[in-house]
Amino acid sequence: MADTAQRFNLQSSTNSSTHSSFIEDVLASQGLLTSQQLDFIKNEAKRRQESTEKILSQMGWVNEEQLVAAKGKIIGVPYVDPAQQPISPEVLAYLPEEVARRFTVIPIAREKDTIAVAMVDPLDLQVLEFIEKKSGLAVRPYIATSQSIQRAVAEQYSRGLSFEVGEALKEAAPGLTAPLTIQTEVSGILGEAPVARIVSTLLEYGIKVRASDIHIEPLENETRIRYRIDGILHEKLILPRRIHDAIVSRIKILGNMKIDEKRLPQDARFNFKIGQEDLDLRLSTMPTAYGEKVVMRLLKKTGGVPSLPELGLRGIAIKHLEENIARPHGIILVCGPTGSGKTTTLYAILSKLNSTKVNIMTLEDPIEYQIAGVNQVQVNLQAGLTFASGLRSFLRQDPNIIMVGEIRDTETTELAIQAALTGHLVFSTLHTNDAAGALPRLLDMQAEPYLIASTVTCVVGQRVVRRICSACRYPKPPTEEILAGIKKDLEGIYKFEKGKQVTFYAGKGCRECNNTGYLGRIGIFEVLVVSEKVSRMVLSHEPAMVIASQAISEGMIAMKQDGFLKVIEGVTTIEEVLRVAEE
């Protein structure tokens, strides 16, 4: 037993040199008990011949978490709240749920050959030895309240992927030694039901965590499952490599893909319903060194399109944009890299303009959201329906407003300009870093400068940043260096009050936000109006930097400045703005 205690690095209450031996003394040193309360507890314990811990609980002067944390200090074991942190399915898999419930313990992390375990009694050496044998790893105990462990066990084992997938794997792969392949048969050596359940569980979990994409990636010895949540990829599950082909085949069946074609990329889409949620799934397979990688894009059919203010547009930016979309003709471009929310912005604009008095036609690749009353057309390259050919046909459909998913080539550029010149309002997207860069890009596509200057009325540049989680938001004063930089960038835009401390915010990380500190996203924007001076710059082939400077002098708020304003408002963090908007 002594060897075990040494291995687990536990300190007893009698040999702790850094902390007081009594709970009430520790609590008093932390400012949680007054000197009067401390004296009362000590005297009452002597009078009643009861433990101070019991008297403290009865008096209610400290809560259970504070009491347990103090006990942890005495025995030299760190306190943790397992209910407030995500636990990966791989870690949960080291201890079955029934063991966790029986001993009121839960594994919380693994580092090399050691597993960290939250326990009510970290000095229970029999339980520690049992966990060590069960997991095959050395144990590092943490102290936690019984209630927090029970809550974590109930939520993590049921919410996590490992339990459902683990159960399905027990059925799916008993005694299998060779990698599995399913060719044209749905069933075979590996039954369909467990694999179908694994795929269904992956999708259900994606909905729970608000993922936009699910990546199923074959590695050399395992299959990795990652979810893109608020624009960032998170690894959530590792599966045995031998069932990878079966999972890919199941997904291919759902999307009516060719199961036996593994050498070429394939694309498909299908509908999926979970409870009340209707999902449109876009599938993409790609042959890699270790097998086929699958990416599933999750698109909710319910929920509607956000309004422009909900996207994050405000002030002078939304004023300029609304003025230009109210015009009967012209070209309005939305710019940014892939995944910056360009299509969502276009949908928000179309929803605002949508009425029975106008004929709106869109040409998209693919159609991501369906808007009632709007004629949406899907690009079909195999049938010869491209952006250019579709746009040419649109002009014979008597449209008022045309939305082209992307301006990719010279032909599409020329047709968009012709549509604007003949009295149509045209919306499209371009892959440029900022709003000013869109105008030189059109020149690169051989568009005539005088036509660009006379048709393009407004350019929107945008990025998306993660919102701070409102459940765990806390004030975080900026450093003098960061504050000085922001004041310089916002000079003439935002007035800082003299003598008043500026407070930024951040997220601590909680169960609501999957311990990231962020929940949801919002856009940061710049809206460039093509004024007379900007038009002359286009005609004289001025570079994007010069055009941007002119637009700012005319009142445009740059994207980074809009981000800093949202930092001051407590919507996002300085790190997020710099991550997406830094040149």
Side-chain angles (χ1 to χ4, degrees):
M1 282 293 189
D3 291 340
T4 305
Q6 193 175 7
R7 184 169 68 246
F8 296 135
N9 192 29
L10 295 180
Q11 290 176 269
S12 71
S13 58
T14 56
N15 66 6
S16 174
S17 58
T18 56
H19 299 290
S20 171
S21 299
F22 300 105
I23 286 180
E24 63 270 25
D25 293 324
V26 173
L27 292 168
S29 70
Q30 294 172 339
L32 297 171
L33 289 178
T34 65
S35 57
Q36 291 88 350
Q37 288 171 332
L38 180 62
D39 291 339
F40 175 84
I41 291 291
K42 287 181 180 289
N43 294 331
E44 198 68 7
K46 284 178 185 175
R47 188 179 70 80
R48 292 194 208 171
Q49 293 296 301
E50 289 180 351
S51 70
T52 53
E53 190 177 335
K54 185 178 178 181
I55 296 168
L56 280 164
S57 298
Q58 290 170 352
M59 298 307 296
W61 288 334
V62 290
N63 59 37
E64 191 185 2
E65 289 81 10
Q66 292 165 336
L67 204 57
V68 171
K71 192 192 293 184
K73 276 205 166 193
I74 291 170
I75 62 174
V77 176
Y79 169 78
V80 72
D81 184 352
Q84 291 297 322
Q85 61 183 77
I87 303 169
S88 75
E90 306 93 88
V91 171
L92 288 174
Y94 282 104
L95 272 190
E97 186 177 1
E98 58 270 20
V99 173
R101 286 187 184 279
R102 189 172 65 181
F103 294 119
T104 319
V105 298
I106 188 167
I108 53 175
R110 182 192 167 177
E111 187 179 337
K112 295 180 181 176
D113 297 328
T114 305
I115 188 165
V117 179
M119 307 174 65
V120 174
D121 182 7
L123 297 175
D124 191 332
L125 299 180
Q126 286 184 322
V127 172
L128 288 166
E129 285 183 341
F130 178 83
I131 294 170
E132 189 179 54
K133 286 175 184 173
K134 191 79 179 172
S135 64
L137 300 167
V139 179
R140 179 182 291 121
Y142 285 75
I143 194 166
T145 66
S146 174
Q147 190 178 6
S148 69
I149 293 173
Q150 287 168 1
R151 191 163 70 245
V153 169
E155 289 176 1
Q156 298 285 357
Y157 279 95
S158 61
R159 187 177 64 179
L161 285 166
S162 60
F163 178 74
E164 287 286 336
V165 172
E167 289 298 302
L169 283 173
K170 285 177 189 175
E171 293 178 42
L176 290 174
T177 52
L180 295 171
T181 53
I182 297 181
Q183 299 299 329
T184 52
E185 294 290 325
V186 177
S187 58
I189 186 169
L190 183 62
E192 181 198 4
V195 174
R197 204 156 72 245
I198 290 172
V199 172
S200 184
T201 303
L202 295 179
L203 290 170
E204 285 176 24
Y205 188 78
I207 292 295
K208 281 182 184 177
V209 297
R210 304 170 296 100
S212 59
D213 300 86
I214 304 173
H215 292 239
I216 300 170
E217 302 168 307
L219 306 178
E220 187 174 4
N221 300 312
E222 58 199 18
T223 292
R224 178 172 68 178
I225 312 294
R226 292 193 291 172
Y227 289 81
R228 189 174 293 281
I229 305 164
D230 292 334
I232 308 292
L233 277 170
H234 298 268
E235 184 178 305
K236 291 291 182 182
L237 188 66
I238 297 293
L239 294 175
R241 179 68 181 83
R242 63 182 182 269
I243 69 157
H244 178 82
D245 290 345
I247 288 172
V248 173
S249 294
R250 171 63 185 167
I251 292 167
K252 283 184 172 180
I253 289 166
L254 291 170
N256 288 319
M257 292 172 158
K258 294 178 182 176
I259 302 175
D260 55 345
E261 180 54 82
K262 300 186 177 187
R263 300 164 300 168
L264 296 173
Q266 295 185 63
D267 293 297
R269 65 192 303 161
F270 70 93
N271 294 326
F272 190 84
K273 189 164 185 177
I274 300 174
Q276 300 301 312
E277 290 278 8
D278 263 334
L279 289 179
D280 192 11
L281 264 75
R282 276 166 39 195
L283 306 177
S284 173
T285 66
M286 178 68 66
T288 69
Y290 296 113
E292 286 182 283
K293 172 176 175 173
V294 179
V295 176
M296 296 190 279
R297 166 69 56 91
L298 278 61
L299 300 168
K300 284 187 184 180
K301 288 187 174 180
T302 53
V305 176
S307 66
L308 294 174
E310 285 170 346
L311 290 177
L313 276 156
R314 59 193 63 180
I316 194 77
I318 196 168
K319 180 177 178 285
H320 284 159
L321 182 58
E322 287 179 339
E323 283 172 359
N324 282 281
I325 66 177
R327 293 185 177 193
H329 53 80
I331 297 175
I332 294 173
L333 299 170
V334 182
C335 306
T338 303
S340 60
K342 300 185 297 294
T343 307
T344 306
T345 300
L346 286 178
Y347 279 139
I349 292 170
L350 292 182
S351 296
K352 185 175 176 66
L353 297 174
N354 190 15
S355 77
T356 55
K357 296 178 182 178
V358 290
N359 177 20
I360 302 176
M361 301 198 70
T362 75
L363 188 59
E364 305 173 56
D365 183 23
I367 297 169
E368 293 195 11
Y369 300 97
Q370 291 174 339
I371 307 172
V374 174
N375 305 286
Q376 295 173 270
V377 178
Q378 169 84 45
V379 166
N380 188 335
L381 298 177
Q382 291 176 332
L385 178 55
T386 62
F387 280 125
S389 66
L391 189 49
R392 196 177 284 109
S393 301
F394 271 20
L395 298 176
R396 295 191 289 272
Q397 287 281 317
D398 186 32
N400 299 98
I401 298 166
I402 296 170
M403 192 265 267
V404 185
E406 187 185 343
I407 291 178
R408 292 179 180 173
D409 51 38
T410 303
E411 190 179 7
T412 312
T413 308
E414 288 173 355
L415 287 164
I417 289 171
Q418 288 304 317
L421 288 171
T422 52
H424 302 92
L425 186 57
V426 181
F427 295 95
S428 191
T429 68
L430 267 180
H431 283 91
T432 60
N433 286 332
D434 54 19
L439 300 170
R441 177 63 58 84
L442 291 176
L443 291 172
D444 293 341
M445 293 181 183
Q446 278 77 55
E448 293 292 342
Y450 71 92
L451 291 176
I452 296 171
S454 58
T455 55
V456 179
T457 60
C458 178
V459 185
V460 180
Q462 71 176 80
R463 299 286 191 280
V464 283
V465 293
R466 291 181 291 172
R467 282 178 177 270
I468 299 170
C469 173
S470 57
C472 61
R473 195 178 84 146
Y474 71 99
K476 184 182 178 184
T479 63
E480 286 298 323
E481 188 182 355
I482 288 173
L483 188 57
I486 288 180
K487 282 182 176 178
K488 185 181 176 184
D489 277 323
L490 294 181
E491 196 174 347
I493 296 172
Y494 183 86
K495 190 175 181 181
F496 291 89
E497 292 182 35
K498 280 189 177 180
K500 188 178 178 183
Q501 188 180 0
V502 179
T503 304
F504 293 170
Y505 291 86
K508 286 182 181 177
C510 63
R511 194 166 66 249
E512 286 290 315
C513 60
N514 208 19
N515 217 40
T516 60
Y518 298 99
L519 188 64
R521 293 192 287 175
I522 193 168
I524 57 173
F525 297 88
E526 59 185 19
V527 177
L528 185 154
V529 176
V530 183
S531 63
E532 281 187 35
K533 286 185 178 178
V534 172
S535 295
R536 285 200 293 272
M537 287 180 168
V538 174
L539 291 170
S540 57
H541 292 256
E542 293 285 358
M545 195 180 296
V546 178
I547 293 172
S549 296
Q550 177 59 34
I552 288 169
S553 71
E554 292 177 5
M556 181 182 86
I557 294 175
M559 211 180 318
K560 193 197 273 189
Q561 291 173 329
D562 186 39
F564 289 156
L565 289 171
K566 288 181 170 77
V567 169
I568 291 168
E569 290 168 22
V571 175
T572 188
T573 62
I574 191 78
E575 292 81 9
E576 274 297 289
V577 174
L578 295 177
R579 179 177 68 85
V580 301
E582 192 73 276
E583 292 296 325

